Amino acid sequence: MDGPAHSGNEKAPLLKGVQQSKFIAFCRRHKRIVIPVAIMILLLPLLGLIALKTRHAHARNWTSPVVYPSPQGYGAGNWSAAYVRARAMVGNMSLEEMNNVTLGVVDTTSGCVGVSGSAPQHGFPGLCFHDAGNGVRNTDGVNAYASGIHIGASWNATLAYERAQFMGAEFKRKGVNVALGPVVGPIGRIAEGGRNFEAFAADPYLDGILGAQSVIGLQESVIASIKHFVAYEQETNRNPIANNGKPISSTSANLDDQTMHELYLWPFQDLVHAGAGCAMCSYNRINNTYACENSKAMNGLLKGELNFQGFVVSDWVGQHSGLPSADAGLDMAMPTSGYWNERQLKKAVDSGALNQTRLIDMATRIVATYYQFGQDRALPLGVGMPPNLLLPHNYTDAKDSASKSSLLQQAIEGHVLVKNIKGALPLKQPKVLSIFGYDAVQQSSFVPSVLFPQSWEAIGLGTQQSIGIASNAPVQNPPEVQNGTLIVGGGSGSNTPAYISSPYDAIQSRAYDDGTAIFFDFVSTNPTVVSSSDACLVFINEYSSEVWDRPGLADPDSDTLVNNVASMCNSTVVVIHNAGIRLVDAWIDNPNVTAVIFAHLPGQDAGRAVASILYGDAGPSGRLPYTVARRSSDYGNMLGPCQADGSLSPQCDFTEGMNVDYRGFLASNTTPRYEFGYGLTYSSFVYANLQTNINATATPSDTVTPVYTNGTTNDNVNNTAIGNGGLLSLFGSVGTITASVSNTGSVAAAEVAQLYLLIPASTSNSSNPRTRVLRGFEKVLIQPNETAQVAFNLRMKDVSTWNVTRQAWVVPSGEFGVYVGKSVLDTPLTGSFTV
C-alpha cells in the first residue's frame, strides 16, 4: 500500500467525510465538465500526440493523448490456460458480480492493507493485498530484508532473485495474494526523493534487470504488483490537497515520448516481460492527466505496447474518477472506491455509458491473474495477518530458516566502501576501539504503536509534521535521521524485523573474541576520545520515507560529530546507513577520516553485516547505484521536488530528458565526488582483452509504419511478434561483449564489471546531449592472481532508441562507443562497433 499505512477498514485522512467534503463535491462537479472535454479531445487525437512529442514545451502545452478502447487481455505467452479458466468463471458472473471484483472492500478480520471484492457463488474469494517490495510489513513472524536500494548497491541479479523468492514465500504463508512490489518507479530523478530507497537504482537498465528477477522470485509464491506506473518521482504534492474549497491537484510529470520510453517506461517493460501479474498506477499526473485515469499510460503503453496481461490496481486512494478511469484501463480501485462501489459500473453498462466488454475485461484480467499464479490454491485471505498485534491472535511464523544465510549475504553485499587509506580496513585485532554515533545502537523502542506500521517510531515527528501528513500537505522540516540503527526507510516500503542486529552488538561480540577494549558515546556530537584508540568508528544515518521528500542530503549534526571525532582520532572510520544519496564533502578530505562505508539499508542483519566487512571476514563488494555529488547544487534543478508555489495545478517539466543522475553529470561535464558504479574492495583488479561480437542491423529508414497503433491494440492477439513485454524481438540477443578481469591483489574479492554504451544519436541536441548508458554488468568472485572472463549479452532493446515519428524502437546506424570497467568514469577498456 502507498501513502500513510491504513488497516483494511480505514480510509485516508483526505477521505474522511468524503460525501460531505467540498473537495469531493467540487471534483464531482468538475467531472461533468471533463467528460465533454474528453470527448472533444477524442475527436482530435493528433493534437494530443503532437503535444506528447514536443520536447521542452511549456507546462500548459503538455497534454496526454487519449487512447481508447482499452486493450483486452487474451492470454499471451504462458497466460493462455489462465485466461481459459477466467473466461469460464466470468462468463457465469452477473454484471453486478463483475463490478464487485473490481472493488476494494472493508475487511476488519485481517491485517491486509487491501482486500478485493469476491464472487463467492463462483469460487472467487477476492485477493489480499499487502506491503511491500522490501518484505512483509506491520506484522509478526516475518523477516526484514535488505531494501531495494541495498540490493541495487549489490549489483547482484542472482541475489535479487533469491531475496524475492524467500520474501514471496513469507507473503504466501501469511495469506497474502498480492505483494505490493517490486518498485522501479521512482527511478531517482530527484536526489532528495523520499521513496528512492524502495527502488534499486537511478538507472533504468539496472532497475529493469534487478526488478525482473524480483518479479520472477516473488511470483513463485504470490502475485507481484510492479509500481509505481509511471513517472512518479516525488512525494511533495503527490496527492490532491483540499485548500479552502480550491483543491490543489497532484503534481504533473510533464515529459516527452522519447524520455518516457527510454527512461521511465524502460524498467517496467522488463518487469512485464518477466511476467508481472499486477501493475499499480501512481498518484501523480502524467502530462496533466492523473495516472489512474491516463489512457495513454494504461491503454496505450502498458496494455498496448507492453501487451500487459495482468490487471491494473490504483495506488491507495489514487482513483479520482469513475467511468473515465475504467475506460482508461484501471481494473481495480483500492482500498475502497466512492466511484464504483454502488454498482456504478453495472449501471453504466446498462445505460450504454460503459462498453460491456470493458467490464468483462476488468473482471477477466483479475481472475486470470488469480489463476495464473496459483492463488486458487492459496491460504484463506490474510490468515496469518492479525488486524491488531496487541490483541490475542494466532501466531503465524512465516520465516524459513533456510533464508538466514541469504538475509546476511544481502546485507553484506549492499555495503559500498568509498574510502580506505592508511590501511584502516580491515581491522586487525585492535586493542582499543572507540564507537560513536546514534546509529550504532538499536532504537530505544520497538513495539506496535500508531507509528509502528510506517517505521516512524524513532524519528521524532512533531505535531505540525503530523498535521501535514494527515492533510496531504507538504511536510515542513521532516526528520533527517533515525535515532537508532537504520535498517529500512519509512512508509509502505518499510518492513518488520524479527530482530535488529546493531553494529555495537556485533562489534562487542567480536571484541570478546579478540580481547578488545571498547569505549563508546552514542549521544554526544562532541564526545571524548580515548587517545589509545586504534580506531574510532562513527555510525550515522540518513533517513528517508514515503509521504515527504528529504529536506537535504546531509544533516549538520552528523557532520559535526564526524569532524569532532576526526579532530581527536587519526583513524576515524565512518559508516553511514543511508536511505539515499548522502553528501560527505564536509569531512571526506580530512586525512584522519581513513575509511568510509555507505551501508545503505541492510535489513535486520545490519550489525552482523557491517562487522563482517570491518573485520575482513567478508570483503566489501557493493557499488553505488546513484551519483554522490560534491555539493547539493551539482544536482541542479533535480536536487529537490518541484513546488506548487501557489498554483492549483503544480507542473514538473522533465526538461532534462533522459539525462538523470550520472547521465546528467556527464551531460553537464560535472565531476562528482563518487560516480555511479563506484566502489572499493580489499583487493585490486586489472581489465584486458576487450572483444566485441555484435551482429545488430540498423533499422531501414523506409520503415515508417508504427508498430503500435492507438485504438487497434487488440490486434496483438493475432500478432505473433508481440508477447509479454511487447515486441519479442527487443529481447533477442544481438551478440556479446567480453573482457577479462584479473585479481592482482592478495585476497579473494568480488568485482563488478560494468558495460556502458554510447549509442549514436539520430539528431544532435546540444542542451541534452546523448551520453553513455549502462547496458551490462557482471559480478564475479576472483581469487588472488587469477583471471575471470566476463560476458555482456546485449539485447536488441539495449542498442535501440525510441523513434518518436515512427512510434517504434529502431537500431540507429553509426558507431557505438563501448566502455568497460569499474564505474561509469573508470573504464580502462574502450572500443566501438558499427551497425
Side-chain angles (χ1 to χ4, degrees):
M1 166 188 144
D2 288 19
H6 305 284
S7 62
N9 62 337
E10 292 179 330
K11 296 179 179 179
L14 187 61
L15 292 189
K16 290 181 179 179
V18 63
Q19 300 300 327
Q20 290 79 28
S21 75
K22 295 179 180 179
F23 172 61
I24 296 299
F26 175 89
C27 288
R28 288 179 173 172
R29 290 195 300 272
H30 185 61
K31 181 178 66 177
R32 298 188 185 102
I33 297 172
V34 167
I35 291 174
V37 173
I39 294 173
M40 180 174 65
I41 295 174
L42 183 59
L43 296 176
L44 298 170
L46 289 179
L47 182 61
L49 187 58
I50 291 171
L52 184 66
K53 295 177 184 177
T54 303
R55 298 184 65 90
H56 320 314
H58 190 275
R60 66 170 178 261
N61 295 325
W62 290 95
T63 305
S64 188
V66 175
V67 179
Y68 296 130
S70 184
Q72 297 175 43
Y74 62 90
N78 65 354
W79 284 72
S80 57
Y83 264 85
V84 169
R85 298 179 70 185
R87 290 191 194 100
M89 177 186 286
V90 175
N92 291 319
M93 287 185 188
S94 66
L95 294 177
E96 185 172 351
E97 288 172 320
M98 294 181 204
N99 192 149
N100 195 53
V101 302
T102 70
L103 299 170
V105 297
V106 173
D107 176 17
T108 60
T109 65
S110 78
C112 304
V113 297
V115 173
S116 69
S118 61
Q121 291 185 345
H122 305 284
F124 181 68
L127 299 168
C128 166
F129 295 73
H130 200 64
D131 300 319
N134 296 324
V136 187
R137 179 179 68 91
N138 190 27
T139 192
D140 51 13
V142 294
N143 290 308
Y145 291 80
S147 292
I149 194 173
H150 201 87
I151 297 301
S154 80
W155 290 66
N156 189 333
T158 302
L159 197 63
Y161 163 75
E162 190 177 88
R163 164 182 176 262
Q165 193 179 35
F166 283 118
M167 192 188 303
E170 291 187 14
F171 278 106
K172 180 178 180 179
R173 296 183 192 111
K174 284 291 184 177
V176 176
N177 306 107
V178 183
L180 298 174
V183 173
V184 291
I187 207 164
R189 174 181 182 266
I190 299 300
E192 294 174 350
R195 302 189 73 172
N196 292 351
F197 77 92
E198 295 183 40
F200 302 100
D203 176 80
Y205 180 89
L206 187 53
D207 254 0
I209 298 298
L210 299 179
Q213 290 302 309
S214 299
V215 164
I216 293 169
L218 281 169
Q219 291 190 158
E220 291 180 9
S221 299
V222 293
I223 301 164
S225 179
I226 59 178
K227 62 183 190 180
H228 305 83
F229 194 80
V230 60
Y232 171 57
E233 294 296 318
Q234 67 177 63
E235 296 302 282
T236 304
N237 287 107
R238 67 177 190 162
N239 280 321
I241 303 172
N243 183 32
N244 298 322
K246 295 181 179 180
I248 300 174
S249 300
S250 298
T251 53
S252 176
N254 301 324
L255 67 162
D256 62 80
D257 195 29
Q258 186 177 12
T259 299
M260 173 64 85
H261 282 81
E262 294 192 21
L263 187 61
Y264 298 99
L265 188 65
W266 178 289
F268 284 101
Q269 184 172 31
D270 284 344
L271 273 59
V272 173
H273 183 64
C278 176
M280 179 189 289
C281 53
S282 51
Y283 285 133
N284 56 291
R285 293 178 294 157
I286 306 164
N287 294 333
N288 286 289
T289 299
Y290 277 104
C292 290
E293 57 190 68
N294 193 302
S295 63
K296 173 62 178 177
M298 292 187 289
N299 289 343
L301 298 178
L302 183 61
K303 293 181 177 180
E305 271 187 46
L306 305 191
N307 203 33
F308 177 60
Q309 298 298 298
F311 68 94
V312 180
V313 65
S314 73
D315 204 336
W316 267 230
V317 201
Q319 183 191 34
H320 300 293
S321 66
L323 296 187
S325 61
D327 279 328
L330 182 64
D331 300 306
M332 182 184 290
M334 277 288 163
T336 57
S337 174
Y339 298 102
W340 296 349
N341 65 333
E342 295 180 355
R343 299 182 298 167
Q344 289 99 322
L345 297 178
K346 185 263 185 190
K347 293 174 183 176
V349 171
D350 288 341
S351 69
L354 178 68
N355 193 312
Q356 182 171 328
T357 59
R358 174 79 271 259
L359 180 55
I360 292 173
D361 182 60
M362 294 165 74
T364 302
R365 283 177 174 271
I366 294 165
V367 176
T369 307
Y370 165 81
Y371 281 130
Q372 174 72 359
F373 300 103
Q375 298 309 299
D376 54 321
R377 303 184 299 276
L379 296 171
L381 303 191
V383 65
M385 299 286 299
N388 189 334
L389 291 175
L390 296 178
L391 296 178
H393 60 275
N394 293 324
Y395 174 74
T396 300
D397 189 355
K399 303 186 302 298
D400 182 350
S401 59
S403 68
K404 286 186 176 181
S405 61
S406 179
L407 282 158
L408 180 57
Q409 192 63 25
Q410 293 164 37
I412 289 171
E413 290 200 32
H415 287 70
V416 182
L417 178 67
V418 296
K419 183 178 182 180
N420 191 21
I421 62 174
K422 303 179 183 178
L425 294 180
L427 300 173
K428 302 175 182 67
Q429 293 186 317
K431 292 182 176 61
V432 179
L433 281 180
S434 291
I435 304 178
F436 305 102
Y438 54 90
D439 183 80
V441 291
Q442 293 185 30
Q443 59 198 62
S444 59
S445 135
F446 183 71
V447 293
S449 66
V450 67
L451 299 178
F452 177 81
Q454 295 86 18
S455 186
W456 288 346
E457 64 269 40
I459 58 173
L461 286 173
T463 301
Q464 290 303 313
Q465 294 160 342
S466 298
I467 292 173
I469 293 170
S471 63
N472 286 327
V475 179
Q476 300 300 315
N477 301 313
E480 290 190 71
V481 300
Q482 175 181 289
N483 188 20
T485 306
L486 183 63
I487 67 169
V488 70
S492 62
S494 62
N495 52 28
T496 309
Y499 56 83
I500 298 175
S501 170
S502 73
Y504 176 68
D505 291 338
I507 294 169
Q508 189 178 46
S509 177
R510 185 62 182 251
Y512 175 83
D513 295 331
D514 293 347
T516 303
I518 295 181
F519 297 93
F520 56 86
D521 183 341
F522 306 130
V523 177
S524 175
T525 58
N526 190 19
T528 299
V529 177
V530 175
S531 61
S532 59
S533 299
D534 294 306
C536 299
L537 310 181
V538 182
F539 291 89
I540 59 177
N541 64 51
E542 194 71 14
Y543 187 79
S544 185
S545 177
E546 180 188 12
V547 181
W548 61 83
D549 293 305
R550 295 165 58 193
L553 299 179
D555 69 286
D557 287 345
S558 295
D559 284 344
T560 297
L561 170 62
V562 172
N563 278 319
N564 285 339
V565 172
S567 69
M568 295 177 281
C569 183
N570 62 10
S571 185
T572 300
V573 177
V574 183
V575 177
I576 311 169
H577 283 114
N578 55 312
I581 295 167
R582 211 292 184 180
L583 301 187
V584 295
D585 267 55
W587 39 262
I588 194 65
D589 287 328
N590 187 323
N592 285 346
V593 175
T594 54
V596 178
I597 296 174
F598 285 103
H600 294 109
L601 304 174
Q604 64 194 34
D605 281 327
R608 287 185 180 87
V610 75
S612 70
I613 291 172
L614 291 172
Y615 284 91
D617 299 333
S621 65
R623 303 293 184 270
L624 292 176
Y626 49 76
T627 300
V628 178
R630 294 176 179 272
R631 58 192 68 84
S632 295
S633 59
D634 288 346
Y635 294 100
N637 63 0
M638 289 180 286
L639 169 63
C642 64
Q643 304 290 338
D645 292 330
S647 171
L648 299 180
S649 180
Q651 304 289 320
C652 302
D653 292 353
F654 290 16
T655 53
E656 71 285 342
M658 284 85 73
N659 287 335
V660 166
D661 195 76
Y662 71 88
R663 295 197 250 194
F665 280 74
L666 289 171
S668 63
N669 196 28
T670 301
T671 302
R673 168 57 66 179
Y674 296 118
E675 71 270 18
F676 180 86
Y678 178 80
L680 303 174
T681 69
Y682 291 153
S683 193
S684 57
F685 298 90
V686 171
Y687 285 71
N689 302 322
L690 177 66
Q691 301 288 328
T692 61
N693 183 18
I694 306 298
N695 58 3
T697 302
T699 305
S701 59
D702 58 354
T703 305
V704 295
T705 304
V707 176
Y708 311 107
T709 307
N710 293 347
T712 63
T713 45
N714 286 347
D715 288 349
N716 289 353
V717 177
N718 300 314
N719 189 346
T720 58
I722 301 291
N724 294 314
L727 274 176
L728 295 175
S729 60
L730 290 173
F731 300 93
S733 175
V734 295
T736 58
I737 293 175
T738 61
S740 61
V741 183
S742 300
N743 184 342
T744 57
S746 59
V747 297
E751 173 72 329
V752 180
Q754 302 162 40
L755 166 68
Y756 297 86
L757 294 183
L758 180 58
I759 301 173
S762 56
T763 57
S764 63
N765 188 335
S766 58
S767 62
N768 277 309
R770 186 169 286 277
T771 71
R772 69 188 74 166
V773 292
L774 181 69
R775 285 297 184 263
F777 63 92
E778 186 174 350
K779 191 170 194 175
V780 286
L781 178 64
I782 310 175
Q783 297 297 321
N785 301 314
E786 292 192 359
T787 298
Q789 299 298 315
V790 292
F792 308 104
N793 178 55
L794 289 177
R795 308 166 297 180
M796 183 73 75
K797 179 184 180 186
D798 299 329
V799 297
S800 298
T801 61
W802 180 256
N803 187 291
V804 174
T805 303
R806 303 183 193 184
Q807 287 293 285
W809 289 98
V810 301
V811 179
S813 61
E815 184 178 79
F816 287 67
V818 176
Y819 305 82
V820 173
K822 304 176 181 182
S823 72
V824 69
L825 295 183
D826 186 359
T827 54
L829 302 182
T830 60
S832 65
F833 62 88
T834 303
V835 299

